Amino acid sequence: MKINLGKYELEKPVALAPMEDVTDLGFRLVCKEFGADVVYTEFISSEGLIRSARKSTQKLVTDEKERPVGIQIFGGDPNVMAEAARMAEDAGPDFIDINAGCWVPKVAQRGAGAGLLKDLDQMRAIIHAVRTAVSIPVSLKTRLGWDSNSITIFEVAKICADEGLAALTIHARTRAQHHDGEANWDWIRQVKETAALPIFGNGDIRAAQDALDMFEFTKCDGVMVARGAITNPWIFRDIKALMGDGTLPPAPTLEERAKTCVRHLEMEIELKGERRGLMEFRKYYHGYFHGVPNGSTLRSTLVRLETLEGVKDAIGSFVIRSADKLTAELPGLKGAPTDSLV
Ligand SMILES: Cc1cc2nc3c(=O)[nH]c(=O)nc-3n(C[C@H](O)[C@H](O)[C@H](O)COP(=O)(O)O)c2cc1C
Protein backbone atom coordinates (compact mmCIF):
# COMPACT_ATOMS: atom_id res chain seq x y z
CA MET A 1 0.00 0.00 0.00
CA LYS A 2 1.37 3.44 -0.91
CA ILE A 3 1.53 6.09 1.78
CA ASN A 4 0.02 9.46 0.87
CA LEU A 5 1.44 12.42 2.71
CA GLY A 6 -0.01 15.50 1.04
CA LYS A 7 1.74 16.00 -2.28
CA TYR A 8 3.86 12.90 -1.72
CA GLU A 9 2.90 9.35 -2.59
CA LEU A 10 5.51 7.06 -1.12
CA GLU A 11 6.25 3.45 -1.88
CA LYS A 12 8.12 1.55 0.86
CA PRO A 13 9.44 4.73 2.52
CA VAL A 14 12.22 4.65 5.09
CA ALA A 15 11.47 7.20 7.80
CA LEU A 16 13.56 8.91 10.44
CA ALA A 17 11.58 8.59 13.69
CA PRO A 18 10.66 11.56 15.86
CA MET A 19 13.14 11.78 18.74
CA GLU A 20 13.08 14.42 21.46
CA ASP A 21 16.41 16.26 21.69
CA VAL A 22 17.73 14.42 18.63
CA THR A 23 15.68 15.05 15.48
CA ASP A 24 16.08 18.79 15.30
CA LEU A 25 16.36 20.46 11.90
CA GLY A 26 20.11 19.92 11.54
CA PHE A 27 19.96 16.18 12.21
CA ARG A 28 16.90 15.78 10.00
CA LEU A 29 18.71 17.44 7.09
CA VAL A 30 21.71 15.13 7.51
CA CYS A 31 19.48 12.04 7.51
CA LYS A 32 17.50 13.39 4.57
CA GLU A 33 20.70 13.82 2.62
CA PHE A 34 21.59 10.19 3.33
CA GLY A 35 18.24 9.00 2.00
CA ALA A 36 15.54 9.24 4.68
CA ASP A 37 12.25 9.52 2.76
CA VAL A 38 10.16 10.99 5.59
CA VAL A 39 11.24 12.90 8.67
CA TYR A 40 9.44 14.08 11.81
CA THR A 41 10.11 16.86 14.28
CA GLU A 42 10.72 16.09 17.93
CA PHE A 43 7.41 15.83 19.78
CA ILE A 44 5.91 19.18 20.69
CA SER A 45 3.65 19.81 23.66
CA SER A 46 0.21 21.01 22.56
CA GLU A 47 -0.13 22.92 25.84
CA GLY A 48 3.23 24.57 25.23
CA LEU A 49 2.27 25.50 21.68
CA ILE A 50 -0.99 27.19 22.56
CA ARG A 51 0.82 29.17 25.28
CA SER A 52 3.47 30.04 22.66
CA ALA A 53 6.20 28.64 24.90
CA ARG A 54 9.55 29.26 23.20
CA LYS A 55 10.72 25.66 23.55
CA SER A 56 7.61 24.48 21.68
CA THR A 57 7.41 27.11 18.95
CA GLN A 58 11.13 26.74 18.13
CA LYS A 59 10.51 23.12 17.23
CA LEU A 60 8.01 24.11 14.53
CA VAL A 61 10.75 25.25 12.16
CA THR A 62 11.11 23.08 9.07
CA ASP A 63 12.94 23.44 5.77
CA GLU A 64 11.96 22.92 2.13
CA LYS A 65 14.84 20.47 1.68
CA GLU A 66 13.47 18.00 4.19
CA ARG A 67 10.00 17.43 2.72
CA PRO A 68 7.92 15.46 3.34
CA VAL A 69 8.17 16.44 6.99
CA GLY A 70 5.67 15.84 9.77
CA ILE A 71 5.25 17.91 12.91
CA GLN A 72 4.53 15.67 15.88
CA ILE A 73 2.35 16.96 18.72
CA PHE A 74 1.24 15.43 22.01
CA GLY A 75 -1.43 16.17 24.57
CA GLY A 76 -4.49 14.77 26.30
CA ASP A 77 -7.14 17.39 25.56
CA PRO A 78 -8.96 17.32 22.19
CA ASN A 79 -9.58 21.08 22.05
CA VAL A 80 -6.00 21.94 22.92
CA MET A 81 -4.71 19.35 20.44
CA ALA A 82 -6.95 20.80 17.71
CA GLU A 83 -5.68 24.31 18.38
CA ALA A 84 -2.07 23.12 18.48
CA ALA A 85 -2.58 21.20 15.22
CA ARG A 86 -3.84 24.38 13.54
CA MET A 87 -0.75 26.24 14.75
CA ALA A 88 1.47 23.42 13.54
CA GLU A 89 -0.25 23.41 10.14
CA ASP A 90 0.45 27.14 9.81
CA ALA A 91 4.16 26.36 10.10
CA GLY A 92 3.91 24.55 6.74
CA PRO A 93 4.63 20.82 7.30
CA ASP A 94 3.30 18.13 4.97
CA PHE A 95 1.43 16.32 7.74
CA ILE A 96 0.72 16.29 11.46
CA ASP A 97 1.63 13.26 13.57
CA ILE A 98 -0.10 12.54 16.89
CA ASN A 99 2.11 11.04 19.58
CA ALA A 100 0.28 8.22 21.36
CA GLY A 101 3.38 6.33 22.45
CA CYS A 102 5.49 8.37 24.85
CA TRP A 103 5.94 6.33 28.05
CA VAL A 104 7.59 9.05 30.16
CA PRO A 105 5.46 9.39 33.34
CA LYS A 106 5.07 13.17 33.19
CA VAL A 107 3.47 12.71 29.75
CA ALA A 108 1.70 9.33 29.99
CA GLN A 109 0.31 9.83 33.49
CA ARG A 110 -1.33 13.05 32.37
CA GLY A 111 -3.30 11.16 29.74
CA ALA A 112 -1.07 12.16 26.82
CA GLY A 113 1.36 10.06 24.74
CA ALA A 114 1.02 6.39 25.73
CA GLY A 115 -1.54 7.52 28.35
CA LEU A 116 -4.05 7.54 25.49
CA LEU A 117 -3.71 3.75 25.28
CA LYS A 118 -5.64 3.57 28.55
CA ASP A 119 -8.57 5.51 27.18
CA LEU A 120 -9.31 4.71 23.55
CA ASP A 121 -12.46 6.90 23.54
CA GLN A 122 -10.27 9.86 24.42
CA MET A 123 -7.77 8.81 21.77
CA ARG A 124 -10.54 8.75 19.19
CA ALA A 125 -11.77 12.17 20.33
CA ILE A 126 -8.28 13.59 19.94
CA ILE A 127 -7.76 12.04 16.53
CA HIS A 128 -11.13 13.35 15.40
CA ALA A 129 -10.48 16.85 16.75
CA VAL A 130 -7.06 17.07 15.08
CA ARG A 131 -8.25 15.55 11.82
CA THR A 132 -11.10 18.03 11.49
CA ALA A 133 -8.96 21.00 12.58
CA VAL A 134 -6.45 20.77 9.74
CA SER A 135 -6.55 20.27 6.00
CA ILE A 136 -3.26 18.35 5.68
CA PRO A 137 -2.93 14.59 6.35
CA VAL A 138 -2.74 13.34 9.94
CA SER A 139 -0.95 10.22 11.16
CA LEU A 140 -0.45 8.62 14.56
CA LYS A 141 2.46 6.86 16.26
CA THR A 142 1.83 4.44 19.07
CA ARG A 143 2.82 1.26 20.87
CA LEU A 144 1.26 -2.20 21.13
CA GLY A 145 -0.65 -1.33 24.28
CA TRP A 146 -0.20 -0.14 27.86
CA ASP A 147 1.35 -3.44 28.95
CA SER A 148 1.40 -7.08 27.87
CA ASN A 149 -2.02 -7.64 29.47
CA SER A 150 -3.64 -4.92 27.41
CA ILE A 151 -2.60 -5.13 23.78
CA THR A 152 -4.86 -2.56 22.12
CA ILE A 153 -3.12 -2.10 18.79
CA PHE A 154 -5.89 -3.79 16.78
CA GLU A 155 -8.55 -1.41 18.16
CA VAL A 156 -6.21 1.55 17.64
CA ALA A 157 -5.63 0.57 14.00
CA LYS A 158 -9.38 0.41 13.47
CA ILE A 159 -9.94 3.82 15.06
CA CYS A 160 -7.18 5.37 12.94
CA ALA A 161 -8.61 3.88 9.74
CA ASP A 162 -12.19 4.93 10.64
CA GLU A 163 -10.99 8.48 11.26
CA GLY A 164 -9.22 8.58 7.89
CA LEU A 165 -5.64 8.87 9.10
CA ALA A 166 -2.90 8.75 6.47
CA ALA A 167 -0.76 6.21 8.34
CA LEU A 168 -0.21 4.46 11.65
CA THR A 169 3.26 3.87 13.06
CA ILE A 170 3.58 0.89 15.38
CA HIS A 171 6.52 0.83 17.77
CA ALA A 172 6.40 -2.87 18.54
CA ARG A 173 6.76 -2.56 22.31
CA THR A 174 4.27 -1.87 25.09
CA ARG A 175 4.34 1.26 27.24
CA ALA A 176 5.59 -0.88 30.12
CA GLN A 177 8.65 -1.94 28.11
CA HIS A 178 9.86 1.62 27.60
CA HIS A 179 12.79 1.01 25.23
CA ASP A 180 13.87 -2.25 26.86
CA GLY A 181 13.72 -5.81 25.62
CA GLU A 182 13.13 -6.72 22.04
CA ALA A 183 10.49 -5.20 19.80
CA ASN A 184 8.03 -7.92 18.78
CA TRP A 185 7.50 -7.51 15.04
CA ASP A 186 4.91 -10.28 14.99
CA TRP A 187 2.29 -7.80 16.23
CA ILE A 188 3.04 -5.51 13.28
CA ARG A 189 2.61 -8.49 10.95
CA GLN A 190 -0.75 -9.36 12.52
CA VAL A 191 -2.08 -5.79 12.44
CA LYS A 192 -0.96 -5.38 8.83
CA GLU A 193 -3.03 -8.42 7.82
CA THR A 194 -6.28 -6.63 8.64
CA ALA A 195 -5.47 -2.92 8.84
CA ALA A 196 -7.28 -0.62 6.41
CA LEU A 197 -4.57 2.06 6.46
CA PRO A 198 -0.81 2.12 5.73
CA ILE A 199 1.48 0.94 8.52
CA PHE A 200 4.99 2.09 9.39
CA GLY A 201 6.87 -0.60 11.33
CA ASN A 202 9.20 0.61 14.07
CA GLY A 203 11.47 -0.97 16.64
CA ASP A 204 15.00 -2.38 16.58
CA ILE A 205 16.11 -1.50 13.07
CA ARG A 206 19.76 -1.19 14.02
CA ALA A 207 21.43 -2.21 10.76
CA ALA A 208 20.35 -1.88 7.13
CA GLN A 209 19.42 -5.54 6.75
CA ASP A 210 16.96 -5.22 9.67
CA ALA A 211 14.86 -2.83 7.58
CA LEU A 212 14.60 -5.33 4.73
CA ASP A 213 13.80 -8.08 7.23
CA MET A 214 11.04 -5.97 8.73
CA PHE A 215 9.48 -5.29 5.31
CA GLU A 216 9.70 -8.96 4.46
CA PHE A 217 8.42 -10.36 7.77
CA THR A 218 5.65 -7.89 8.58
CA LYS A 219 4.68 -6.75 5.05
CA CYS A 220 4.50 -3.24 6.50
CA ASP A 221 4.20 -0.28 4.10
CA GLY A 222 7.08 1.76 5.49
CA VAL A 223 9.80 1.37 8.09
CA MET A 224 10.96 3.85 10.69
CA VAL A 225 14.42 4.08 12.25
CA ALA A 226 15.16 5.81 15.56
CA ARG A 227 18.24 4.87 17.64
CA GLY A 228 19.95 3.17 14.69
CA ALA A 229 20.18 6.60 13.03
CA ILE A 230 21.81 8.24 16.05
CA THR A 231 24.67 5.75 16.03
CA ASN A 232 24.81 5.67 12.24
CA PRO A 233 23.09 8.36 10.15
CA TRP A 234 24.44 6.53 7.06
CA ILE A 235 21.92 3.78 7.79
CA PHE A 236 19.44 5.38 5.36
CA ARG A 237 21.95 5.28 2.50
CA ASP A 238 22.67 1.62 3.32
CA ILE A 239 18.99 0.63 3.51
CA LYS A 240 18.21 2.33 0.21
CA ALA A 241 21.20 0.62 -1.45
CA LEU A 242 20.16 -2.80 -0.15
CA MET A 243 16.60 -2.17 -1.34
CA GLY A 244 17.99 -1.07 -4.70
CA ASP A 245 20.69 -3.23 -6.20
CA GLY A 246 21.13 -5.34 -3.08
CA THR A 247 24.70 -4.33 -2.30
CA LEU A 248 25.89 -2.50 0.76
CA PRO A 249 28.04 0.59 0.05
CA PRO A 250 31.49 0.70 1.71
CA ALA A 251 31.42 2.08 5.24
CA PRO A 252 32.03 5.85 5.38
CA THR A 253 35.70 6.78 5.51
CA LEU A 254 37.08 8.71 8.45
CA GLU A 255 37.25 11.78 6.23
CA GLU A 256 33.57 11.46 5.27
CA ARG A 257 32.64 11.05 8.92
CA ALA A 258 34.69 14.07 9.90
CA LYS A 259 33.29 16.27 7.15
CA THR A 260 29.69 15.29 7.85
CA CYS A 261 30.18 15.87 11.56
CA VAL A 262 31.63 19.35 11.02
CA ARG A 263 28.93 20.28 8.50
CA HIS A 264 26.21 19.12 10.88
CA LEU A 265 27.78 21.02 13.76
CA GLU A 266 27.94 24.18 11.64
CA MET A 267 24.22 23.83 10.88
CA GLU A 268 23.41 23.43 14.58
CA ILE A 269 25.46 26.51 15.43
CA GLU A 270 23.72 28.51 12.73
CA LEU A 271 20.37 27.49 14.21
CA LYS A 272 21.18 27.78 17.90
CA GLY A 273 24.26 29.94 18.30
CA GLU A 274 27.77 28.69 19.12
CA ARG A 275 27.40 27.97 22.83
CA ARG A 276 24.08 26.14 22.73
CA GLY A 277 24.86 24.54 19.39
CA LEU A 278 28.09 23.04 20.73
CA MET A 279 26.51 21.86 23.99
CA GLU A 280 23.57 20.19 22.29
CA PHE A 281 25.79 18.65 19.63
CA ARG A 282 27.73 16.52 22.12
CA LYS A 283 25.32 13.60 21.82
CA TYR A 284 26.11 13.18 18.11
CA TYR A 285 29.91 12.70 18.35
CA HIS A 286 29.39 9.09 19.36
CA GLY A 287 27.54 8.31 16.12
CA TYR A 288 30.03 10.06 13.87
CA PHE A 289 33.10 8.38 15.35
CA HIS A 290 31.54 5.07 16.39
CA GLY A 291 33.81 2.13 15.50
CA VAL A 292 36.70 4.40 14.46
CA PRO A 293 40.08 3.37 15.99
CA ASN A 294 40.76 5.72 18.94
CA GLY A 295 37.37 7.31 18.32
CA SER A 296 36.55 7.28 22.03
CA THR A 297 39.65 9.38 22.80
CA LEU A 298 38.59 11.89 20.16
CA ARG A 299 35.05 11.97 21.55
CA SER A 300 36.20 12.66 25.07
CA THR A 301 38.25 15.60 23.77
CA LEU A 302 35.42 16.97 21.63
CA VAL A 303 32.84 17.05 24.40
CA ARG A 304 35.06 19.40 26.41
CA LEU A 305 35.66 21.94 23.64
CA GLU A 306 33.82 25.24 23.69
CA THR A 307 34.43 26.73 20.26
CA LEU A 308 33.71 25.62 16.71
CA GLU A 309 37.30 26.35 15.73
CA GLY A 310 38.57 24.14 18.57
CA VAL A 311 36.36 21.27 17.40
CA LYS A 312 37.43 21.65 13.78
CA ASP A 313 41.12 21.68 14.79
CA ALA A 314 40.74 18.59 16.98
CA ILE A 315 38.91 16.65 14.29
CA GLY A 316 41.30 17.83 11.56
CA SER A 317 44.41 16.77 13.45
CA PHE A 318 42.80 13.45 14.41
CA VAL A 319 42.16 12.72 10.71
CA ILE A 320 45.73 13.66 9.76
CA ARG A 321 47.22 11.60 12.62
CA SER A 322 45.10 8.60 11.67
CA ALA A 323 46.17 8.90 8.02
CA ASP A 324 49.86 9.22 9.01
CA LYS A 325 49.52 6.16 11.20
CA LEU A 326 47.92 4.21 8.38
CA THR A 327 50.62 5.34 5.93
CA ALA A 328 53.32 4.25 8.39
CA GLU A 329 51.66 0.88 8.84
CA LEU A 330 51.17 0.39 5.10
CA PRO A 331 54.22 2.02 3.47
CA GLY A 332 52.88 1.49 -0.06
CA LEU A 333 49.75 3.56 0.66
CA LYS A 334 49.60 6.90 -1.11
CA GLY A 335 47.18 9.77 -0.91
CA ALA A 336 46.65 10.45 2.75
CA PRO A 337 43.88 13.03 3.07
CA THR A 338 45.35 16.44 2.62
CA ASP A 339 42.36 18.65 1.91
CA SER A 340 41.42 20.63 4.94
CA LEU A 341 38.19 20.13 6.82
CA VAL A 342 37.91 23.74 7.64
C1 LIG B 1 16.14 9.80 22.59
C2 LIG B 1 14.79 9.35 22.11
C3 LIG B 1 13.78 10.28 21.98
C4 LIG B 1 12.52 9.90 21.51
N1 LIG B 1 11.57 10.84 21.33
C5 LIG B 1 10.38 10.51 20.72
C6 LIG B 1 9.46 11.51 20.34
O1 LIG B 1 9.66 12.71 20.52
N2 LIG B 1 8.30 11.09 19.74
C7 LIG B 1 8.04 9.76 19.49
O2 LIG B 1 7.00 9.43 18.92
N3 LIG B 1 8.92 8.81 19.85
C8 LIG B 1 10.10 9.15 20.42
N4 LIG B 1 11.01 8.18 20.70
C9 LIG B 1 10.74 6.78 20.32
C10 LIG B 1 11.29 6.47 18.92
O3 LIG B 1 10.68 7.29 17.93
C11 LIG B 1 11.10 4.99 18.54
O4 LIG B 1 9.72 4.69 18.55
C12 LIG B 1 11.80 4.03 19.50
O5 LIG B 1 13.10 4.50 19.84
C13 LIG B 1 11.91 2.62 18.89
O6 LIG B 1 12.63 2.65 17.67
P1 LIG B 1 14.18 2.15 17.58
O7 LIG B 1 14.22 0.75 18.10
O8 LIG B 1 14.50 2.27 16.10
O9 LIG B 1 14.99 3.05 18.44
C14 LIG B 1 12.26 8.53 21.20
C15 LIG B 1 13.28 7.60 21.36
C16 LIG B 1 14.53 7.98 21.80
C17 LIG B 1 15.63 6.96 21.93
Side-chain angles (χ1 to χ4, degrees):
M1 201 184 277
K2 288 190 178 158
I3 306 184
N4 284 304
L5 297 174
K7 285 187 270 155
Y8 301 85
E9 196 179 58
L10 307 168
E11 187 147 14
K12 297 186 104 178
V14 181
L16 168 67
M19 280 183 282
E20 164 77 340
D21 281 335
V22 178
T23 56
D24 62 5
L25 178 56
F27 189 67
R28 298 198 303 270
L29 287 172
V30 169
C31 293
K32 185 78 192 178
E33 217 175 278
F34 288 137
D37 295 303
V38 188
V39 298
Y40 297 68
T41 63
E42 305 161 72
F43 71 173
I44 308 180
S45 158
S46 55
E47 303 278 352
L49 264 189
I50 67 157
R51 279 187 281 107
S52 297
R54 223 164 93 90
K55 188 170 179 241
S56 305
T57 53
Q58 273 175 343
K59 292 184 189 167
L60 290 174
V61 179
T62 59
D63 188 284
E64 282 304 309
K65 290 195 284 297
E66 60 176 329
R67 291 187 185 281
V69 53
I71 291 183
Q72 193 191 59
I73 56 174
F74 71 93
D77 181 303
N79 295 326
V80 175
M81 283 290 277
E83 181 55 25
R86 273 190 287 270
M87 291 176 72
E89 182 179 28
D90 287 345
D94 299 286
F95 63 103
I96 303 289
D97 189 67
I98 299 172
N99 179 310
C102 180
W103 64 272
V104 174
K106 72 175 186 210
V107 173
Q109 278 167 12
R110 288 194 197 151
L116 293 171
L117 292 166
K118 281 192 142 174
D119 186 347
L120 297 189
D121 289 337
Q122 186 70 350
M123 184 191 284
R124 184 191 284 277
I126 284 177
I127 294 171
H128 189 77
V130 170
R131 178 86 177 81
T132 46
V134 298
S135 56
I136 54 176
V138 177
S139 58
L140 182 132
K141 179 169 178 285
T142 191
R143 290 174 178 253
L144 303 175
W146 182 256
D147 58 26
S148 57
N149 296 319
S150 61
I151 300 295
T152 42
I153 191 65
F154 297 96
E155 291 95 309
V156 170
K158 182 160 185 335
I159 293 171
C160 292
D162 289 349
E163 294 293 334
L165 293 199
L168 166 66
T169 301
I170 304 175
H171 173 193
R173 288 187 175 83
T174 62
R175 192 274 334 171
Q177 283 179 287
H178 305 166
H179 289 107
D180 305 333
E182 275 188 15
N184 186 344
W185 295 356
D186 198 52
W187 291 109
I188 303 178
R189 184 187 64 76
Q190 290 184 48
V191 174
K192 180 59 203 161
E193 275 174 7
T194 52
L197 83 169
I199 303 289
F200 274 104
N202 170 238
D204 291 352
I205 297 180
R206 303 309 276 260
Q209 184 60 45
D210 298 335
L212 276 81
D213 292 348
M214 184 186 268
F215 272 125
E216 171 69 22
F217 179 70
T218 68
K219 307 282 182 276
C220 61
D221 306 287
V223 293
M224 181 182 278
V225 186
R227 289 166 295 175
I230 310 179
T231 47
N232 175 23
W234 283 269
I235 193 169
F236 298 100
R237 180 195 68 168
D238 295 349
I239 296 172
K240 299 312 276 288
L242 273 191
M243 288 168 72
D245 66 9
T247 53
L248 208 53
T253 62
L254 176 57
E255 247 196 307
E256 260 179 285
R257 290 173 178 277
K259 281 186 170 160
T260 310
C261 175
V262 169
R263 200 158 39 80
H264 181 187
L265 173 59
E266 284 173 340
M267 273 195 281
E268 296 289 344
I269 289 179
E270 204 180 310
L271 291 164
K272 301 173 180 171
E274 186 163 18
R275 202 179 136 70
R276 202 179 125 215
L278 275 163
M279 286 288 290
E280 294 186 7
F281 195 78
R282 291 177 177 175
K283 57 184 163 277
Y284 300 112
Y285 290 129
H286 177 75
Y288 285 119
F289 299 105
H290 181 74
V292 166
N294 300 318
S296 58
T297 315
L298 173 65
R299 291 196 302 266
S300 54
T301 304
L302 295 177
V303 295
R304 281 185 268 115
L305 297 174
E306 290 179 0
T307 63
L308 172 62
E309 284 314 308
V311 170
K312 281 178 168 178
D313 285 348
I315 295 179
S317 16
F318 180 82
V319 173
I320 289 167
R321 272 201 315 278
S322 303
D324 286 349
K325 191 160 175 280
L326 196 65
T327 314
E329 282 166 10
L330 301 167
L333 188 81
K334 296 260 185 335
T338 49
D339 57 330
S340 167
L341 287 162
V342 293

